[in-house]
């Protein structure tokens, strides 16, 4: 026997038993995003490598060690997208989405790729749903995005999530703070772990994000960003907090929240759950007012977030899902009645668009077909047998209640099912 070819480590299948939950998440999110005026964008999964290098940042973990990068047959350096924001910005500039005075609210969903160490809640191919708003500089849109995500948690039955907020200030104030951090951590160089030593000059803000318990007290004593923030960022952040207070959204200001991508400025936020272990962030984002201009567009303020679908699914596992079982299972006695069964099924689908019909295929005795009908979870079996057909009838039998088969004229079946199933 040939060897089985296995899937790629850190990349998973969503099986038919699991996809109803994925679909429920996707439909709920799409519905809410559309109700807030977001329109979907679909960008390629593959982009030029430099798009990510120049937006996420060369010194970030994502770019320096996690990207799936390859040269294609034309010699172009390409990367499987590790996130969706850079592609949206590229597409927006290229296609003229960011016209002056034209705010854009867009959303996307799809697979992202990062060569991280796989563990619970962390995969090499994972799915995000993201939202990005362009052309709106104020805290109002930051607050609206957070309200939108909070509405999604409610709709999915997810509670016990915590919103963490911070502001990174303007690029200038961030640069100033960077210098302060470099000198603080340099003074304590012997206490730095290997990761932090590497980050010291390349990306010192990321040291604040270290999860190493041995680094905790050093990080706690590090100078805060507060003293280096510019007035405009302080005012923006104050207004955002007051908008959230008025909307009744609790949050925790976390001055150590710096995010792992370089394009942010001003507001950053993360929704986390304590139920997921080490990978607790289910949704994260913030402002990136400089990115469109950085890629050669006009200056366009922007803010967005992305949520990790697998992590959300983990929290939703007890949420109520619609039952995907068929309503009716059509059994047919002989090969001769099979064509009648198929045409009856088509007729039912024409007349009752909400009806889920499974027609038995593959032959077998009535007994065997009824067994399959029962296992399918269908509420009713419809019997297309020779005797019934001779009289212009079909049989109808409840599979969930102890009742005899009833025969009724073929033409009345749709009406009867509609009545019984409330369709
Ligand atoms: P991110 O924090 O890198 O941000 O990812 C957002 C979310 O994607 C995370 O909070 C997590 O739920 C999920 N995620 C990330 N990596 C993995 C992984 N390896 N396995 C499973 N889930 C994962 C971004 O991607 C930004 N583009 C968000 C953004 C949009 N900022 C502004 N607009």
């Amino acid at each position: 026997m040939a060897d089985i070819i296995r899937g790629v480590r850190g990349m998973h299948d969503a099986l038919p038993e699991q996809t109803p939950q994925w679909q429920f998440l996707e439909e709920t999110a799409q519905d809410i995003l559309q109700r807030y005026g977001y329109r979907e964008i679909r960008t390629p999964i593959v982009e030029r490598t430099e798009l990510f290098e120049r937006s996420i940042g060369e010194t970030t973990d994502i770019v320096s060690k996690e990207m799936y990068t390859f040269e294609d047959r034309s010699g172009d350096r390409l990367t499987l997208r590790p996130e969706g924001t850079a592609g949206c910005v590229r597409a927006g500039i290229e296609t003229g989405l960011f016209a002056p005075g034209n705010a854009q609210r867009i959303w996307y969903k799809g697979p992202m790729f990062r060569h991280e160490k796989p563990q619970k809640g962390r995969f090499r191919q994972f799915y995000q749903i993201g939202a990005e708003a362009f052309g709106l500089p104020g805290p109002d849109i930051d607050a609206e995005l957070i309200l939108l995500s909070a509405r999604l948690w409610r709709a999915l039955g997810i509670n016990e999530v915590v919103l963490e907020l911070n502001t990174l200030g303007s690029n200038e104030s961030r640069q100033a703070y960077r210098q302060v951090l470099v000198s603080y951590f340099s003074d304590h160089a012997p206490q730095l772990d290997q990761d932090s030593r590497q980050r010291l000059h390349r990306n010192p803000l990321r040291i604040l994000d270290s999860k190493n318990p041995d680094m905790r007290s050093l990080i706690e004593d590090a100078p805060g960003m507060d003293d280096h923030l510019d007035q405009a960022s302080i005012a923006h952040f104050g207004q955002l907090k007051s908008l959230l207070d008025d909307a009744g959204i609790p949050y925790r200001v976390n001055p150590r929240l710096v995010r792992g991508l370089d394009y942010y400025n001003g507001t950053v936020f993360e929704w986390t759950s304590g139920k997921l272990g080490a990978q607790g962030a289910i949704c994260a984002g913030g402002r990136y007012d400089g990115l469109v201009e950085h890629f050669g567009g006009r200056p366009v303020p922007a803010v967005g977030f992305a949520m990790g679908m697998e992590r959300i699914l983990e929290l939703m596992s007890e949420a109520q899902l619609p039952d995907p079982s068929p309503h009716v299972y059509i059994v047919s006695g002989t090969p001769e009645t099979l064509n009648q069964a198929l045409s009856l099924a088509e007729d039912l689908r024409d007349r009752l668009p909400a009806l889920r019909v499974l027609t038995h295929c593959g032959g077998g005795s009535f007994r065997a077909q009824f067994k399959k009908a029962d296992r399918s979870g269908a509420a009713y079996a419809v019997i297309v047998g020779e005797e019934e057909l001779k009289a212009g009838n079909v049989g109808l039998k409840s599979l969930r209640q102890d009742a005899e088969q009833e025969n009724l004229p073929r033409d009345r079946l749709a009406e009867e099912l509609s009545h019984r199933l409330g369709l």
Side-chain angles (χ1 to χ4, degrees), residues 70-95:
F70 59 98
E71 209 171 89
D72 77 358
R73 287 167 195 273
S74 327
D76 290 330
R77 265 178 82 231
L78 304 178
T79 294
L80 298 186
R81 64 180 183 194
E83 59 102 54
T85 309
C88 288
V89 169
R90 193 241 346 109
I93 296 172
E94 231 180 325
T95 62

Side-chain angles (χ1 to χ4, degrees), residues 166-327:
N166 192 21
T167 178
L168 301 177
S170 65
N171 280 341
E172 297 75 42
S173 59
R174 201 169 150 195
Q175 286 308 320
Y177 180 54
R178 189 180 189 280
Q179 291 312 321
V180 173
L181 278 186
V182 171
S183 71
Y184 169 80
F185 285 121
S186 301
D187 290 346
H188 298 83
Q191 286 161 266
L192 294 178
D193 63 12
Q194 204 191 342
D195 250 8
S196 304
R197 227 166 275 158
Q198 280 174 1
R199 286 173 174 159
L200 181 57
H201 291 284
R202 304 180 71 187
N203 203 348
L205 263 76
R206 291 283 293 148
I207 300 179
L208 300 177
D209 223 19
S210 165
K211 303 283 181 296
N212 183 350
D214 297 340
M215 296 272 301
R216 192 171 298 153
S217 72
L218 184 65
I219 290 172
E220 269 166 20
D221 294 342
M225 196 180 287
D226 297 23
D227 299 339
H228 304 277
L229 287 174
D230 54 294
Q231 284 309 313
S233 300
I234 294 172
H236 184 113
F237 197 50
Q239 283 169 25
L240 171 61
K241 287 187 290 186
S242 114
L243 288 168
L244 294 176
D245 290 337
D246 286 355
I249 302 277
Y251 55 84
R252 192 170 78 83
V253 174
N254 174 3
R256 297 291 181 251
L257 181 67
V258 293
R259 307 281 296 121
L261 304 89
D262 279 356
Y263 49 61
Y264 293 110
N265 67 280
T267 311
V268 288
F269 62 91
E270 238 171 56
W271 286 96
T272 59
S273 161
K275 290 186 185 164
L276 296 174
Q279 306 303 320
I282 57 167
C283 173
R287 297 206 68 90
Y288 49 99
D289 294 323
L291 193 57
V292 176
E293 192 177 12
H294 181 66
F295 277 132
R298 327 176 288 117
V300 177
V303 57
F305 65 66
M307 54 187 87
M309 291 177 66
E310 290 84 353
R311 294 183 192 176
I312 292 171
L313 286 164
E314 187 80 21
L315 296 178
M316 267 168 66
S317 50
E318 279 135 46
Q320 275 290 311
L321 286 180
D323 181 4
S325 324
H327 295 109

Side-chain angles (χ1 to χ4, degrees), residues 34-104:
Q34 284 174 349
R35 287 167 62 198
Y36 281 76
Y38 284 76
R39 298 181 304 148
E40 189 183 3
I41 187 166
R42 300 188 183 199
T43 62
I45 285 168
V46 178
E47 299 273 2
R48 288 181 192 284
T49 305
E50 63 170 319
L51 179 77
F52 303 117
E53 289 171 344
R54 284 178 46 206
S55 55
I56 300 170
E58 308 225 25
T59 61
T60 59
D61 286 350
I62 299 178
V63 171
S64 64
K65 40 188 186 199
E66 295 168 1
M67 295 208 301
Y68 282 87
T69 294
F70 59 98
E71 209 171 89
D72 77 358
R73 287 167 195 273
S74 327
D76 290 330
R77 265 178 82 231
L78 304 178
T79 294
L80 298 186
R81 64 180 183 194
E83 59 102 54
T85 309
C88 288
V89 169
R90 193 241 346 109
I93 296 172
E94 231 180 325
T95 62
L97 269 185
F98 307 139
N102 196 10
Q104 287 287 352

